[in-house]
Amino acid sequence: QVQLVESGGGLVQAGGSLRLSCVVSGRTIGTVVMGWFRQAPGKEREFVAGVNYDSGNSEYTEYVKGRFTISRDNDKNTAYLQMNSLSPEDTAVYYCAIDRHHAVRILTIPLEYDYWGQGTQVTVSS
């Protein structure tokens, strides 16, 4: 059984930073795309960032470019999302996900991802 467990969320003031982690068990992540998504209350789940299997390529939504960095450690079966210069608009539940069908191409649609974590809450106060 594949499990993804996110951690690192919390309450932070605007301008602050958080680092999210996603530990995967039940399969190795070394051959798949990893993604981070978020969902704010009353809004649809949206793509935040993705990284290909060997960290050679990453993609970001325009809203976080230059502030967030996605990374992965395949040896630890873990993905990360470093979030800097946080703003109240970043408040959401953050989810990590696996796209088991792709190693290189990074897709941004939630339906393309097969496995999901339970999410971690990020709240940014103004």
Side-chain angles (χ1 to χ4, degrees), residues 34-38 46-52 55-72 80-84 94 106-108 113:
M34 297 293 299
W36 283 95
F37 291 77
R38 66 186 181 186
E46 64 174 359
F47 174 82
V48 175
V51 61
N52 77 333
S55 302
N57 185 39
S58 58
E59 298 284 344
Y60 299 89
T61 177
E62 290 293 327
Y63 301 111
V64 308
K65 276 184 179 178
R67 300 188 297 123
F68 291 12
T69 303
I70 188 171
S71 62
R72 63 192 294 161
Y80 305 95
L81 186 67
Q82 176 67 44
M83 306 186 296
N84 299 328
Y94 284 71
I106 300 169
L107 301 178
T108 62
Y113 288 73

Short mmCIF file of all heavy atoms in Angstrom, two decimals, residues 34-38 46-52 55-72 80-84 94 106-108 113:
data_model
loop_
_atom_site.label_atom_id
_atom_site.label_comp_id
_atom_site.label_asym_id
_atom_site.label_seq_id
_atom_site.Cartn_x
_atom_site.Cartn_y
_atom_site.Cartn_z
N MET A 34 6.97 13.84 -8.89
CA MET A 34 6.35 14.22 -7.62
C MET A 34 5.77 15.62 -7.76
O MET A 34 6.39 16.50 -8.36
CB MET A 34 7.38 14.21 -6.49
CG MET A 34 7.99 12.85 -6.21
SD MET A 34 6.80 11.68 -5.54
CE MET A 34 6.30 12.49 -4.01
N GLY A 35 4.61 15.82 -7.18
CA GLY A 35 3.98 17.13 -7.27
C GLY A 35 3.48 17.60 -5.92
O GLY A 35 3.23 16.81 -5.02
N TRP A 36 3.37 18.92 -5.82
CA TRP A 36 2.72 19.55 -4.66
C TRP A 36 1.52 20.34 -5.16
O TRP A 36 1.62 21.07 -6.15
CB TRP A 36 3.68 20.49 -3.93
CG TRP A 36 4.70 19.80 -3.08
CD1 TRP A 36 5.97 19.47 -3.43
CD2 TRP A 36 4.52 19.35 -1.73
NE1 TRP A 36 6.61 18.84 -2.38
CE2 TRP A 36 5.74 18.76 -1.32
CE3 TRP A 36 3.47 19.40 -0.81
CZ2 TRP A 36 5.93 18.21 -0.04
CZ3 TRP A 36 3.65 18.87 0.45
CH2 TRP A 36 4.87 18.28 0.83
N PHE A 37 0.42 20.19 -4.47
CA PHE A 37 -0.81 20.91 -4.78
C PHE A 37 -1.29 21.59 -3.51
O PHE A 37 -0.83 21.28 -2.41
CB PHE A 37 -1.89 19.94 -5.26
CG PHE A 37 -1.60 19.34 -6.60
CD1 PHE A 37 -0.68 18.30 -6.74
CD2 PHE A 37 -2.26 19.77 -7.74
CE1 PHE A 37 -0.40 17.74 -7.97
CE2 PHE A 37 -1.99 19.21 -8.98
CZ PHE A 37 -1.07 18.20 -9.09
N ARG A 38 -2.25 22.51 -3.67
CA ARG A 38 -2.84 23.13 -2.50
C ARG A 38 -4.32 23.40 -2.75
O ARG A 38 -4.74 23.52 -3.90
CB ARG A 38 -2.13 24.42 -2.13
CG ARG A 38 -2.25 25.54 -3.15
CD ARG A 38 -1.37 26.71 -2.73
NE ARG A 38 -1.47 27.83 -3.67
CZ ARG A 38 -0.72 28.93 -3.60
NH1 ARG A 38 0.20 29.06 -2.63
NH2 ARG A 38 -0.86 29.90 -4.49
N GLU A 46 -5.24 23.12 -6.62
CA GLU A 46 -4.43 23.67 -7.69
C GLU A 46 -2.99 23.20 -7.60
O GLU A 46 -2.46 22.95 -6.51
CB GLU A 46 -4.46 25.20 -7.66
CG GLU A 46 -3.86 25.83 -6.44
CD GLU A 46 -3.79 27.35 -6.53
OE1 GLU A 46 -4.20 27.93 -7.54
OE2 GLU A 46 -3.29 27.95 -5.55
N PHE A 47 -2.38 23.12 -8.74
CA PHE A 47 -0.98 22.74 -8.85
C PHE A 47 -0.09 23.84 -8.28
O PHE A 47 -0.30 25.02 -8.54
CB PHE A 47 -0.64 22.49 -10.32
CG PHE A 47 0.81 22.23 -10.60
CD1 PHE A 47 1.35 20.97 -10.41
CD2 PHE A 47 1.63 23.24 -11.08
CE1 PHE A 47 2.68 20.71 -10.70
CE2 PHE A 47 2.95 23.00 -11.38
CZ PHE A 47 3.48 21.73 -11.19
N VAL A 48 0.91 23.43 -7.52
CA VAL A 48 1.88 24.37 -6.97
C VAL A 48 3.24 24.18 -7.62
O VAL A 48 3.84 25.11 -8.15
CB VAL A 48 2.01 24.23 -5.45
CG1 VAL A 48 3.11 25.15 -4.91
CG2 VAL A 48 0.68 24.51 -4.77
N ALA A 49 3.72 22.93 -7.61
CA ALA A 49 5.04 22.65 -8.14
C ALA A 49 5.16 21.17 -8.44
O ALA A 49 4.48 20.34 -7.84
CB ALA A 49 6.13 23.07 -7.16
N GLY A 50 6.06 20.85 -9.36
CA GLY A 50 6.34 19.46 -9.68
C GLY A 50 7.81 19.29 -10.03
O GLY A 50 8.46 20.24 -10.49
N VAL A 51 8.31 18.09 -9.82
CA VAL A 51 9.71 17.80 -10.13
C VAL A 51 9.80 16.44 -10.80
O VAL A 51 9.11 15.49 -10.40
CB VAL A 51 10.58 17.88 -8.85
CG1 VAL A 51 10.15 16.88 -7.81
CG2 VAL A 51 12.05 17.71 -9.19
N ASN A 52 10.63 16.33 -11.81
CA ASN A 52 10.73 15.06 -12.53
C ASN A 52 11.60 14.08 -11.74
O ASN A 52 12.14 14.41 -10.69
CB ASN A 52 11.21 15.27 -13.95
CG ASN A 52 12.70 15.53 -14.02
OD1 ASN A 52 13.30 16.04 -13.07
ND2 ASN A 52 13.31 15.18 -15.14
N SER A 55 15.23 15.12 -10.66
CA SER A 55 15.38 16.53 -10.29
C SER A 55 15.97 17.39 -11.40
O SER A 55 16.41 18.50 -11.15
CB SER A 55 16.27 16.68 -9.03
OG SER A 55 15.73 15.96 -7.95
N GLY A 56 15.96 16.86 -12.62
CA GLY A 56 16.51 17.63 -13.72
C GLY A 56 15.61 18.73 -14.21
O GLY A 56 16.05 19.65 -14.91
N ASN A 57 14.34 18.65 -13.85
CA ASN A 57 13.38 19.66 -14.31
C ASN A 57 12.31 19.86 -13.25
O ASN A 57 11.90 18.92 -12.57
CB ASN A 57 12.72 19.23 -15.62
CG ASN A 57 11.82 20.31 -16.17
OD1 ASN A 57 12.13 21.49 -16.11
ND2 ASN A 57 10.67 19.90 -16.70
N SER A 58 11.87 21.09 -13.11
CA SER A 58 10.79 21.40 -12.19
C SER A 58 9.87 22.46 -12.82
O SER A 58 10.29 23.20 -13.72
CB SER A 58 11.33 21.88 -10.84
OG SER A 58 12.14 23.02 -11.00
N GLU A 59 8.66 22.47 -12.36
CA GLU A 59 7.66 23.41 -12.84
C GLU A 59 6.97 24.05 -11.65
O GLU A 59 6.80 23.41 -10.60
CB GLU A 59 6.62 22.70 -13.72
CG GLU A 59 7.17 22.06 -14.97
CD GLU A 59 7.48 23.07 -16.05
OE1 GLU A 59 7.00 24.21 -15.95
OE2 GLU A 59 8.23 22.71 -16.99
N TYR A 60 6.54 25.29 -11.84
CA TYR A 60 5.86 26.02 -10.76
C TYR A 60 4.69 26.80 -11.32
O TYR A 60 4.74 27.28 -12.46
CB TYR A 60 6.81 27.00 -10.07
CG TYR A 60 8.01 26.36 -9.42
CD1 TYR A 60 9.18 26.15 -10.13
CD2 TYR A 60 7.95 25.97 -8.09
CE1 TYR A 60 10.29 25.56 -9.52
CE2 TYR A 60 9.05 25.39 -7.47
CZ TYR A 60 10.21 25.18 -8.20
OH TYR A 60 11.29 24.59 -7.60
N THR A 61 3.67 26.94 -10.51
CA THR A 61 2.64 27.88 -10.88
C THR A 61 3.22 29.29 -10.78
O THR A 61 4.14 29.55 -9.99
CB THR A 61 1.42 27.75 -9.94
OG1 THR A 61 0.44 28.74 -10.29
CG2 THR A 61 1.81 27.94 -8.48
N GLU A 62 2.67 30.19 -11.59
CA GLU A 62 3.19 31.56 -11.62
C GLU A 62 3.11 32.22 -10.25
O GLU A 62 3.90 33.11 -9.94
CB GLU A 62 2.39 32.38 -12.63
CG GLU A 62 2.64 32.00 -14.08
CD GLU A 62 4.05 32.34 -14.52
OE1 GLU A 62 4.60 33.34 -14.03
OE2 GLU A 62 4.61 31.60 -15.34
N TYR A 63 2.16 31.81 -9.44
CA TYR A 63 1.94 32.46 -8.16
C TYR A 63 3.06 32.21 -7.15
O TYR A 63 3.17 32.93 -6.15
CB TYR A 63 0.61 32.00 -7.56
CG TYR A 63 -0.57 32.29 -8.46
CD1 TYR A 63 -1.26 31.26 -9.09
CD2 TYR A 63 -0.99 33.60 -8.68
CE1 TYR A 63 -2.33 31.53 -9.91
CE2 TYR A 63 -2.06 33.87 -9.50
CZ TYR A 63 -2.73 32.84 -10.12
OH TYR A 63 -3.79 33.10 -10.94
N VAL A 64 3.87 31.17 -7.38
CA VAL A 64 4.90 30.85 -6.39
C VAL A 64 6.31 30.91 -6.96
O VAL A 64 7.29 30.72 -6.22
CB VAL A 64 4.66 29.46 -5.76
CG1 VAL A 64 3.24 29.34 -5.22
CG2 VAL A 64 4.95 28.34 -6.75
N LYS A 65 6.43 31.16 -8.24
CA LYS A 65 7.77 31.21 -8.85
C LYS A 65 8.64 32.24 -8.15
O LYS A 65 8.22 33.36 -7.87
CB LYS A 65 7.66 31.57 -10.33
CG LYS A 65 7.38 30.38 -11.23
CD LYS A 65 7.37 30.80 -12.70
CE LYS A 65 7.11 29.60 -13.58
NZ LYS A 65 7.06 29.98 -15.02
N GLY A 66 9.86 31.83 -7.88
CA GLY A 66 10.79 32.71 -7.20
C GLY A 66 10.68 32.69 -5.69
O GLY A 66 11.55 33.23 -4.99
N ARG A 67 9.61 32.08 -5.17
CA ARG A 67 9.42 32.01 -3.72
C ARG A 67 9.48 30.57 -3.20
O ARG A 67 9.95 30.33 -2.09
CB ARG A 67 8.07 32.62 -3.33
CG ARG A 67 7.91 34.07 -3.72
CD ARG A 67 6.63 34.66 -3.12
NE ARG A 67 5.43 34.00 -3.61
CZ ARG A 67 4.52 33.42 -2.85
NH1 ARG A 67 4.67 33.40 -1.53
NH2 ARG A 67 3.44 32.86 -3.38
N PHE A 68 8.97 29.64 -3.97
CA PHE A 68 8.92 28.23 -3.56
C PHE A 68 9.96 27.43 -4.35
O PHE A 68 10.22 27.73 -5.52
CB PHE A 68 7.55 27.63 -3.82
CG PHE A 68 6.44 28.15 -2.94
CD1 PHE A 68 6.59 29.27 -2.14
CD2 PHE A 68 5.21 27.50 -2.92
CE1 PHE A 68 5.57 29.74 -1.34
CE2 PHE A 68 4.17 27.96 -2.12
CZ PHE A 68 4.35 29.08 -1.34
N THR A 69 10.48 26.40 -3.72
CA THR A 69 11.40 25.49 -4.38
C THR A 69 11.02 24.06 -4.05
O THR A 69 10.95 23.69 -2.87
CB THR A 69 12.85 25.74 -3.95
OG1 THR A 69 13.20 27.10 -4.22
CG2 THR A 69 13.80 24.82 -4.71
N ILE A 70 10.81 23.27 -5.09
CA ILE A 70 10.53 21.85 -4.90
C ILE A 70 11.82 21.07 -5.05
O ILE A 70 12.68 21.42 -5.86
CB ILE A 70 9.46 21.35 -5.89
CG1 ILE A 70 9.02 19.94 -5.55
CG2 ILE A 70 9.94 21.46 -7.33
CD1 ILE A 70 7.81 19.44 -6.36
N SER A 71 11.96 20.05 -4.25
CA SER A 71 13.14 19.19 -4.35
C SER A 71 12.75 17.77 -3.94
O SER A 71 11.64 17.54 -3.45
CB SER A 71 14.28 19.72 -3.49
OG SER A 71 13.91 19.74 -2.12
N ARG A 72 13.67 16.86 -4.15
CA ARG A 72 13.42 15.47 -3.79
C ARG A 72 14.71 14.79 -3.41
O ARG A 72 15.78 15.16 -3.90
CB ARG A 72 12.73 14.74 -4.93
CG ARG A 72 13.58 14.66 -6.20
CD ARG A 72 12.73 14.19 -7.38
NE ARG A 72 12.26 12.83 -7.20
CZ ARG A 72 11.23 12.30 -7.86
NH1 ARG A 72 10.56 13.03 -8.73
NH2 ARG A 72 10.88 11.05 -7.67
N TYR A 80 10.19 17.55 -1.02
CA TYR A 80 10.16 18.73 -0.17
C TYR A 80 9.57 19.92 -0.93
O TYR A 80 9.65 19.98 -2.15
CB TYR A 80 11.57 19.10 0.30
CG TYR A 80 12.31 17.98 0.98
CD1 TYR A 80 13.18 17.16 0.28
CD2 TYR A 80 12.14 17.75 2.35
CE1 TYR A 80 13.87 16.14 0.91
CE2 TYR A 80 12.82 16.73 2.98
CZ TYR A 80 13.68 15.93 2.26
OH TYR A 80 14.35 14.90 2.89
N LEU A 81 9.07 20.85 -0.17
CA LEU A 81 8.64 22.13 -0.74
C LEU A 81 9.10 23.23 0.21
O LEU A 81 8.55 23.37 1.31
CB LEU A 81 7.13 22.19 -0.94
CG LEU A 81 6.63 23.45 -1.66
CD1 LEU A 81 7.10 23.44 -3.12
CD2 LEU A 81 5.09 23.53 -1.61
N GLN A 82 10.11 23.95 -0.21
CA GLN A 82 10.59 25.09 0.57
C GLN A 82 9.78 26.31 0.15
O GLN A 82 9.74 26.66 -1.03
CB GLN A 82 12.07 25.33 0.31
CG GLN A 82 12.65 26.54 1.01
CD GLN A 82 12.67 26.40 2.52
OE1 GLN A 82 13.04 25.33 3.03
NE2 GLN A 82 12.27 27.44 3.24
N MET A 83 9.16 26.95 1.13
CA MET A 83 8.28 28.08 0.84
C MET A 83 8.81 29.31 1.57
O MET A 83 8.88 29.32 2.80
CB MET A 83 6.85 27.76 1.30
CG MET A 83 6.29 26.48 0.72
SD MET A 83 4.56 26.20 1.13
CE MET A 83 4.65 26.05 2.90
N ASN A 84 9.19 30.30 0.80
CA ASN A 84 9.72 31.55 1.35
C ASN A 84 8.79 32.71 1.00
O ASN A 84 7.96 32.60 0.11
CB ASN A 84 11.12 31.83 0.81
CG ASN A 84 12.12 30.75 1.17
OD1 ASN A 84 12.03 30.12 2.22
ND2 ASN A 84 13.07 30.52 0.28
N TYR A 94 -1.89 21.82 1.94
CA TYR A 94 -0.92 21.42 0.92
C TYR A 94 -0.81 19.90 0.85
O TYR A 94 -0.68 19.24 1.90
CB TYR A 94 0.44 22.04 1.22
CG TYR A 94 0.50 23.51 0.88
CD1 TYR A 94 -0.19 24.46 1.62
CD2 TYR A 94 1.23 23.95 -0.23
CE1 TYR A 94 -0.16 25.80 1.30
CE2 TYR A 94 1.28 25.29 -0.56
CZ TYR A 94 0.57 26.21 0.20
OH TYR A 94 0.62 27.55 -0.14
N ILE A 106 5.95 16.77 -16.51
CA ILE A 106 5.29 17.23 -15.29
C ILE A 106 3.92 17.78 -15.65
O ILE A 106 3.82 18.79 -16.36
CB ILE A 106 6.13 18.31 -14.59
CG1 ILE A 106 7.50 17.75 -14.20
CG2 ILE A 106 5.41 18.83 -13.34
CD1 ILE A 106 8.49 18.80 -13.76
N LEU A 107 2.91 17.13 -15.18
CA LEU A 107 1.54 17.56 -15.45
C LEU A 107 1.00 18.37 -14.28
O LEU A 107 1.43 18.20 -13.14
CB LEU A 107 0.65 16.34 -15.71
CG LEU A 107 1.11 15.46 -16.88
CD1 LEU A 107 0.20 14.26 -17.02
CD2 LEU A 107 1.14 16.26 -18.17
N THR A 108 0.04 19.21 -14.58
CA THR A 108 -0.45 20.13 -13.56
C THR A 108 -1.89 19.86 -13.14
O THR A 108 -2.45 20.58 -12.32
CB THR A 108 -0.35 21.58 -14.05
OG1 THR A 108 -1.18 21.74 -15.20
CG2 THR A 108 1.08 21.94 -14.40
N TYR A 113 -2.63 12.61 -11.22
CA TYR A 113 -1.83 12.05 -10.13
C TYR A 113 -2.58 10.93 -9.45
O TYR A 113 -3.80 10.99 -9.28
CB TYR A 113 -1.45 13.16 -9.15
CG TYR A 113 -0.41 14.08 -9.72
CD1 TYR A 113 -0.74 15.00 -10.72
CD2 TYR A 113 0.92 14.02 -9.32
CE1 TYR A 113 0.21 15.83 -11.28
CE2 TYR A 113 1.88 14.85 -9.86
CZ TYR A 113 1.51 15.76 -10.84
OH TYR A 113 2.47 16.57 -11.40
#
